[in-house]
Amino acid sequence: MMNTKNKSNGNDRIIESYERLIHIALSLSREKDADHLLEMILDEARAICRADAGTIYTLDADERCLWFAFMQNDKLNIRTRGEDAADEYPRIPLYSGSKPNHVNVSSYVALTGETVNIQDVYKDKSFDFEGPKTFDKQTGYRTSAMLVIPMKNHLDETVGVLQLINANDEHSGTFTAFSEHDAKIVSALASLAAVALTKTRLIDQLYRELDKTRKLKENVDDLNRQIKSAFLDVEESNKEMAAALKKVKVTRIVSVAVIIFFLLAGGGFYVYQKTALKRKMPSRSAAAGIAGRDATSAYIVTPQPISSSVSLVGKLEPLKQISIVSPFTGKVAEKFFEYGQNVDKGQLLVKMDTEELNARIREATAKHIKTSQQLQNIRNWNQSTDVTQAKRSLSRSKHARDTAARKLDEAKVLFDKGIISRAEYESADESLRNAFLELASAEDNLAAVLEKGSADNVRVAEFEFENASVELNKLQEQLDMAEVRSPVTGIILLPRALGTEIKRVARGVSVNQGELLVSVGDLEGYSVKCQVDEVDIGKIKIGQSVTVSGDAFPDLFLAGKISHVSSQAGSSDGFSSIPMFDVIVTIDSLCPEEAERLRLGMSCNLQVQVYKNPRALMVPIHMVRTDGAEPRVYVRIKKTGEIKMVPVKVGITTMDSVEVKSGLKAGDTVVISADTAGKTGRDQYNVDYLGW
């Protein structure tokens, strides 16, 4: 009778558990607050299993730990929230370094997804229960049984851990272990709870995103209002500008009319003056007399120095710039310089982070070892285990064939004598055929195995080993260059690309292999980059002397030379469309006093000596006739006094003289011809003006 009653009570309890589970599922689906949901899960789980105490943890995937959410203990009358006891109950890490934390039972359940049912924590040796034991010492509580269950959502992801302690025996009232039925029911509850918790979190996240969207919409609406207001202001300004432009247009028309009036008046006055002047001019015969008196003007050619220069402007730059690039892809661990700082040759500038490179070296080393072993194996392939096994298999197949052939011969004799049946004879024959097939297969297998040691496969293994060796050596070389040092003594320059500053080096900055880090300027000398327009570029030649001066060093005159002349026009200064050509002036050496006063970036003036002749033959410009096929002058012969026209080759022209490069010699007398055709351009202009 007692057994029947106990069985009836057990069935009632199971039915009650399932009914309670259904009720809880409905309640969980309606709950919206995550904290209240967690507390409800712990309450219901304890009620189903009659657990005296329990704890619920939530999993933080980013932090890789379990956060204490709620703890309840009826005997000690404790109901604690995680945020109220964060110091007393710290988080549980899921990993210890790179190893999973399987020492703590809660982290083990979170990582593996397994349910753990422990009869007595003081007797169990599977996990470290130092935490519960310490709690028992402090409170006098006795932790015995423990049921730890993962909370998995619909994606089979663990979102938390449910830990129940000390099930109450409903008859004796003492603590007891949790049953398998308790574990199944609570596991189902934990899954429902995980789904509900995930849903609640997603809803909270959705509300937060909607709130962000609402705020963004408000900001957009506010910006639209500002844009509309600004547009109205612009329209009003446009109206005012249109009115002002109308006034300007009227003023311009009036001004043009006034200018035209004065031009007409001036033209009329000019015509009147010219007419009056003609009446007062002397006759043509009188003018010819005047020209005859000027025909005796003469000039004796004598050598004199002459030079020509082009003025340019620029800024002082290093004699040469040495670019320092990143030895490999990675991050800058340390920077040991400042831009504009003077550095010595070999001085440490940048130290690269080698953590990722070391990992690549380890991988390359492993690959190098594997390819070395593979090469060694394939070179000794005939002695390898695979070949030996294939040969043994072939030997066994031959032996099996011989045995089958012998048995077939014996079977034939017995069959012919009627001792065995035809079926037995045919079976022996079938065995022989199978033995031949196995022998052929073993021969093919041996041939295939031996093919792996062919010359081509050896070459492939050698190539793979060489590639692995090259890769490993390359990475080792990069590791050796992790400390970037200055190759010369100079100054650290900020790298520039097409005139624009590029990435500055700083600790933690990521750089690619070959990416420019810094430039070191060689200050043994200086260079000046300037631009020359298309008119003067033809005068500039490599090797021409240049005098460099500047406002910052007025009493210094540095000697330089043209070292580069661009053959292609580059960009202009932005204010003119005239093609400009890059020219570089080099100042090779400086004395210590000069170097002390100069700084990079100082502006300077350059005088490029484009022509120099210490004994040039110069003739007054009005004595050179250019109205024919070639320039010519009139020379008076000393002995006879005869005036002779001489063709000449001219050089540069000054304000009042022309250089004669051939056709004349020092001491020649150059005169002006007496006839009207010999008049200079200036005289002809005067004649035309006077109306002759």
Side-chain angles (χ1 to χ4, degrees), residues 105-118:
V105 64
S106 299
S107 61
Y108 173 82
V109 170
L111 290 170
T112 62
E114 300 177 4
T115 297
V116 175
N117 190 350
I118 297 172

Side-chain angles (χ1 to χ4, degrees), residues 461-490:
E462 289 174 346
F463 290 155
E464 290 178 348
F465 175 70
E466 289 176 5
N467 290 340
S469 300
V470 170
E471 179 66 20
L472 180 59
N473 292 335
K474 179 181 176 182
L475 293 175
Q476 289 288 0
E477 290 174 359
Q478 292 178 354
L479 183 62
D480 294 339
M481 295 186 293
E483 292 187 350
V484 181
R485 299 180 180 274
S486 175
V488 295
T489 298

Side-chain angles (χ1 to χ4, degrees), residues 44-269:
E44 297 299 338
R46 289 180 53 235
I48 289 175
C49 298
R50 309 171 317 282
D52 180 67
T55 306
I56 191 168
Y57 300 94
T58 58
L59 188 143
D60 190 332
D62 294 332
E63 295 290 335
R64 303 205 304 177
C65 66
L66 292 174
W67 290 97
F68 166 70
F70 284 94
M71 188 187 82
Q72 299 173 359
N73 190 305
D74 288 348
K75 186 173 182 179
L76 298 178
N77 194 24
I78 295 176
R79 294 183 71 87
T80 304
R81 295 166 57 92
E83 58 186 25
D84 298 332
D87 296 335
E88 186 176 356
Y89 301 101
R91 63 182 183 175
I92 300 174
L94 296 179
Y95 292 89
S96 177
S98 59
K99 296 182 179 179
N101 180 12
H102 287 169
V103 176
N104 185 283
V105 64
S106 299
S107 61
Y108 173 82
V109 170
L111 290 170
T112 62
E114 300 177 4
T115 297
V116 175
N117 190 350
I118 297 172
Q119 304 295 323
D120 191 342
V121 299
Y122 283 87
K123 296 179 180 179
D124 188 87
K125 304 299 181 182
S126 303
F127 303 98
D128 180 10
F129 292 104
E130 188 63 30
K133 292 177 181 178
T134 302
F135 178 82
D136 291 350
K137 290 180 181 180
Q138 294 174 349
T139 60
Y141 191 74
R142 178 61 166 81
T143 302
S144 179
M146 183 178 292
L147 178 63
V148 188
I149 298 174
M151 297 170 58
K152 294 185 178 181
N153 61 14
H154 59 293
L155 299 176
D156 201 34
E157 297 173 343
T158 301
V159 298
V161 173
L162 182 61
Q163 181 177 287
L164 302 177
I165 299 172
N166 292 348
N168 279 304
D169 187 282
E170 58 183 347
H171 301 293
S172 64
T174 59
F175 294 160
T176 184
F178 295 95
S179 65
E180 291 299 323
H181 172 73
D182 292 336
K184 291 180 180 179
I185 293 294
V186 176
S187 294
L189 171 62
S191 297
L192 293 172
V195 173
L197 181 60
T198 301
K199 183 197 73 173
T200 302
R201 288 177 174 175
L202 290 175
I203 292 174
D204 290 342
Q205 182 179 357
L206 178 61
Y207 278 133
R208 287 194 297 270
E209 294 297 330
L210 290 174
D211 187 58
K212 290 181 181 178
T213 303
R214 179 183 58 78
K215 291 181 179 179
L216 287 174
K217 184 177 181 302
E218 291 176 355
N219 293 335
V220 170
D221 292 341
D222 185 57
L223 288 174
N224 287 334
R225 286 193 295 271
Q226 295 179 15
I227 293 172
K228 184 176 180 181
S229 176
F231 177 77
L232 294 176
D233 293 341
V234 170
E235 287 293 317
E236 187 65 27
S237 300
N238 288 339
K239 292 179 181 179
E240 295 177 358
M241 187 179 295
L245 289 174
K246 187 174 182 181
K247 293 180 181 179
V248 170
K249 186 175 181 181
V250 173
T251 304
R252 186 179 296 169
I253 293 173
V254 173
S255 300
V256 171
V258 171
I259 291 171
I260 292 173
F261 172 76
F262 279 109
L263 289 175
L264 292 174
F269 179 75

Side-chain angles (χ1 to χ4, degrees), residues 437-692:
L437 292 175
E438 290 180 0
L439 177 60
S441 176
E443 290 174 344
D444 293 340
N445 181 56
L446 177 59
V449 171
L450 291 174
E451 179 64 23
K452 292 181 180 180
S454 65
D456 289 340
N457 288 335
V458 171
R459 290 185 62 196
V460 170
E462 289 174 346
F463 290 155
E464 290 178 348
F465 175 70
E466 289 176 5
N467 290 340
S469 300
V470 170
E471 179 66 20
L472 180 59
N473 292 335
K474 179 181 176 182
L475 293 175
Q476 289 288 0
E477 290 174 359
Q478 292 178 354
L479 183 62
D480 294 339
M481 295 186 293
E483 292 187 350
V484 181
R485 299 180 180 274
S486 175
V488 295
T489 298
I491 185 171
I492 297 294
L493 305 174
L494 178 65
R496 293 175 178 270
L498 298 178
T500 304
E501 290 190 7
I502 61 176
K503 186 192 309 183
R504 288 175 176 262
V505 175
R507 183 178 181 182
V509 170
S510 297
V511 291
N512 296 320
Q513 183 179 359
E515 184 175 350
L516 186 62
L517 295 176
V518 293
S519 295
V520 179
D522 186 353
L523 297 186
E524 291 182 359
Y526 284 89
S527 65
V528 181
K529 184 178 180 180
C530 50
Q531 290 188 319
V532 182
D533 60 33
E534 60 182 352
V535 176
D536 291 331
I537 192 62
K539 305 174 185 178
I540 306 298
K541 308 293 181 185
I542 293 178
Q544 288 176 332
S545 298
V546 182
T547 301
V548 182
S549 61
D551 296 336
F553 44 96
D555 54 342
L556 285 182
F557 295 93
L558 308 175
K561 286 187 177 182
I562 301 292
S563 59
H564 170 75
V565 179
S566 177
S567 300
Q568 181 181 8
S571 58
S572 62
D573 56 7
F575 300 97
S576 172
S577 60
I578 299 176
M580 305 295 287
F581 296 81
D582 290 335
V583 173
I584 297 178
V585 176
T586 300
I587 306 170
D588 290 326
S589 59
L590 297 168
C591 65
E593 293 77 10
E594 292 173 337
E596 183 66 25
R597 296 182 57 183
L598 300 180
R599 296 291 184 273
L600 289 180
M602 283 185 172
S603 59
C604 50
N605 304 315
L606 302 94
Q607 293 293 326
V608 184
Q609 191 175 66
V610 297
Y611 183 76
K612 182 179 181 181
N613 189 351
R615 294 183 58 81
L617 301 179
M618 304 299 295
V619 176
I621 193 170
H622 66 277
M623 289 185 169
V624 180
R625 292 188 59 182
T626 58
D627 54 349
E630 58 184 357
R632 56 195 182 278
V633 297
Y634 290 94
V635 179
R636 180 185 296 160
I637 307 302
K638 291 183 179 180
K639 293 182 179 180
T640 62
E642 179 187 359
I643 296 177
K644 182 181 178 181
M645 184 180 69
V646 178
V648 294
K649 183 178 180 181
V650 299
I652 66 172
T653 303
T654 65
M655 294 295 294
D656 57 358
S657 301
V658 178
E659 180 190 16
V660 176
K661 305 188 78 171
S662 64
L664 293 179
K665 62 181 180 298
D668 285 347
T669 301
V670 180
V671 299
I672 300 176
S673 177
D675 58 357
T676 305
K679 289 183 172 58
T680 63
R682 189 181 301 162
D683 295 335
Q684 190 64 42
Y685 170 78
N686 292 336
V687 170
D688 291 342
Y689 181 80
L690 295 175
W692 293 356

Side-chain angles (χ1 to χ4, degrees), residues 403-417:
T403 301
R406 188 180 67 256
K407 288 184 177 180
L408 179 61
D409 292 340
E410 294 174 354
K412 186 175 185 308
V413 172
L414 296 175
F415 175 70
D416 291 341
K417 293 182 178 181

Side-chain angles (χ1 to χ4, degrees), residues 237-349:
S237 300
N238 288 339
K239 292 179 181 179
E240 295 177 358
M241 187 179 295
L245 289 174
K246 187 174 182 181
K247 293 180 181 179
V248 170
K249 186 175 181 181
V250 173
T251 304
R252 186 179 296 169
I253 293 173
V254 173
S255 300
V256 171
V258 171
I259 291 171
I260 292 173
F261 172 76
F262 279 109
L263 289 175
L264 292 174
F269 179 75
Y270 171 75
V271 172
Y272 171 76
Q273 288 289 343
K274 185 173 183 181
T275 303
L277 188 61
K278 280 184 178 181
R279 298 193 188 101
K280 299 179 181 180
M281 286 297 99
S283 63
R284 290 182 179 270
S285 59
I290 295 173
R293 290 194 297 271
D294 291 336
T296 59
S297 299
Y299 176 79
I300 299 175
V301 179
T302 57
Q304 54 184 293
I306 185 174
S307 64
S308 177
S309 62
V310 175
S311 298
L312 303 173
V313 294
K315 292 184 178 180
L316 288 178
E317 296 183 1
L319 182 62
K320 57 183 177 180
Q321 296 186 21
I322 300 175
S323 298
I324 300 177
V325 299
S326 173
F328 52 83
T329 299
K331 292 184 178 180
V332 175
E334 294 290 343
K335 185 188 80 167
F336 300 95
F337 68 88
E338 297 295 335
Y339 291 105
Q341 170 188 344
N342 290 320
V343 295
D344 297 325
K345 182 177 180 179
Q347 182 172 334
L348 181 61
L349 302 180

